[in-house]
Amino acid sequence: MLRTVQATRYVLPLREGGSLPAIVEASDLGMYVVKFRGAGQGIRSLLAELIAGEIGRAIGLRVPELVFIEIDPVLGRNEPDYEIRQLLKASTGLNLALDYLPGSVTFDPAARDTVSKEEASLLVWFDAYTQNVDRTARNANLLVWHKKLYPIDHGAALFFHHDWPSRESKIDAPFPQIESHILLPWAAEIPAVGREACAKLTPAILEEILHQVPEEWLEASAADSTGESPAERRSGYLDFLVRRLNAAHIFEQEAIDARTRIV
Ligand SMILES: Nc1ncnc2c1ncn2[C@@H]1O[C@H](COP(=O)(O)OP(=O)(O)O)[C@@H](O)[C@H]1O
Ligand SMILES: [Mg+2]
């Protein structure tokens, strides 16, 4: 279960990404990177961050701890920066945050960062399963901290939810974007790690993850769609994720083929 904390101090914006996440101190004195619900990417990126992030954790990836973080309207009142003030105002209520890893750096093969073939394969498999396009050389979203890899930023995953009525056709679709995955060259064990990951992602585990998604986020995410209830939305995600596992051989083969073209 995700913990819930209260934001107590806006510390620093992280300007490198597009969504203006920030380092924020919370009621437990922890430092977190907050993904704001009021950011341009909208509530679906928080849903993706939560669902994909917890799936990653369930299969053994080192996703930093995710927490719900409550933002009070007074938090940003004295921020000198207009854009930040507006963002905080638009994000009143429940947001998502991840544990801040101080001193981490972005994974960079040019700086001779390396990764085992098992871990690379698992990350490739995970991103193909969750349809995450944001793990490229230009935008790795992979932190190195104490010599270990931490995947972050899953807000672009589950892109089927931007075109909800078409999700049926995406379940057994390959994921050709996997060809630009930063770890693809190392991913020599896709079938083996895929088998293990599928065994870990039981319907009960996936259901437990979906169960944690706040009703209000599901409602907001369906606002411009075909009017499903939060419950329908929740079971739609679950159905997609369970059935996509049964079709894993399709996206696995796509990744294996993409890799043979580059190594
Ligand atoms: N948990 C974290 N610990 C340390 N730095 C982080 C963490 N999360 C994000 N960052 C830094 O902030 C940047 C932007 O965060 P990210 O989640 O990728 O948001 P965006 O959607 O803007 O790309 C990252 O590239 C990374 O440098
Ligand atoms: Mg990013």
Side-chain angles (χ1 to χ4, degrees):
M1 282 298 276
L2 266 64
R3 296 185 295 124
T4 301
V5 298
Q6 284 76 40
T8 50
R9 187 166 64 99
Y10 185 95
V11 179
L12 198 72
L14 293 164
R15 292 218 175 252
E16 122 196 23
S19 63
L20 213 59
I23 302 173
V24 168
E25 191 179 60
S27 46
D28 63 351
L29 303 183
M31 297 283 236
Y32 296 90
V33 173
V34 178
K35 313 304 292 267
F36 294 103
R37 62 183 303 160
Q41 284 77 355
I43 196 79
R44 285 184 199 137
S45 70
L46 268 62
L47 282 165
E49 194 86 59
L50 169 54
I51 299 168
E54 290 304 307
I55 288 174
R57 189 184 324 286
I59 60 174
L61 292 168
R62 257 178 242 99
V63 179
E65 183 189 359
L66 292 171
V67 298
F68 293 118
I69 187 161
E70 282 168 358
I71 293 186
D72 188 281
V74 302
L75 185 74
R77 229 171 24 196
N78 297 324
E79 274 305 315
D81 185 312
Y82 174 78
E83 197 188 352
I84 292 170
R85 234 174 20 245
Q86 290 305 107
L87 180 61
L88 289 171
K89 213 166 128 187
S91 302
T92 299
L94 212 58
N95 295 258
L96 195 69
L98 65 165
D99 191 23
Y100 174 60
L101 309 180
S104 57
V105 293
T106 294
F107 177 82
D108 180 6
R112 289 201 243 153
D113 285 333
T114 56
V115 56
S116 74
K117 54 186 192 297
E118 290 78 16
E119 193 171 9
S121 304
L122 188 57
L123 264 154
V124 166
W125 186 92
F126 166 64
D127 288 324
Y129 172 49
T130 59
Q131 306 178 307
N132 180 22
V133 293
D134 266 358
R135 201 95 64 198
T136 62
R138 213 168 48 85
N139 188 12
N141 290 312
L142 210 47
L143 299 180
V144 180
W145 194 54
H146 298 290
K147 301 202 167 76
K148 293 200 169 82
L149 280 187
Y150 291 78
I152 57 159
D153 193 5
H154 303 112
L158 305 175
F159 71 63
F160 76 90
H161 64 182
H162 297 292
D163 186 11
W164 191 258
S166 78
R167 80 181 180 287
E168 194 68 34
S169 68
K170 305 284 166 51
I171 289 170
D172 60 2
F175 186 67
Q177 296 92 326
I178 206 68
E179 68 178 6
S180 341
H181 197 286
I182 185 170
L183 300 184
L184 192 59
W186 290 274
E189 307 269 314
I190 292 170
V193 302
R195 268 192 304 279
E196 278 177 39
C198 284
K200 285 179 181 155
L201 293 175
T202 61
I205 292 282
L206 290 169
E207 199 175 343
E208 203 176 294
I209 292 171
L210 263 310
H211 185 70
Q212 308 208 52
V213 179
E215 177 135 341
E216 173 217 343
W217 291 9
L218 291 163
E219 190 154 15
S221 78
D224 64 349
S225 186
T226 44
E228 302 88 358
S229 68
E232 284 167 325
R233 211 69 187 188
R234 202 187 299 276
S235 60
Y237 280 106
L238 186 59
D239 177 69
F240 178 91
L241 290 165
V242 169
R243 289 168 63 203
R244 189 161 170 78
L245 282 184
N246 297 329
H249 58 280
I250 295 171
F251 65 75
E252 288 173 7
Q253 193 58 51
E254 177 79 26
I256 292 164
D257 293 346
R259 182 167 182 271
T260 48
R261 291 196 297 271
I262 58 165
V263 293

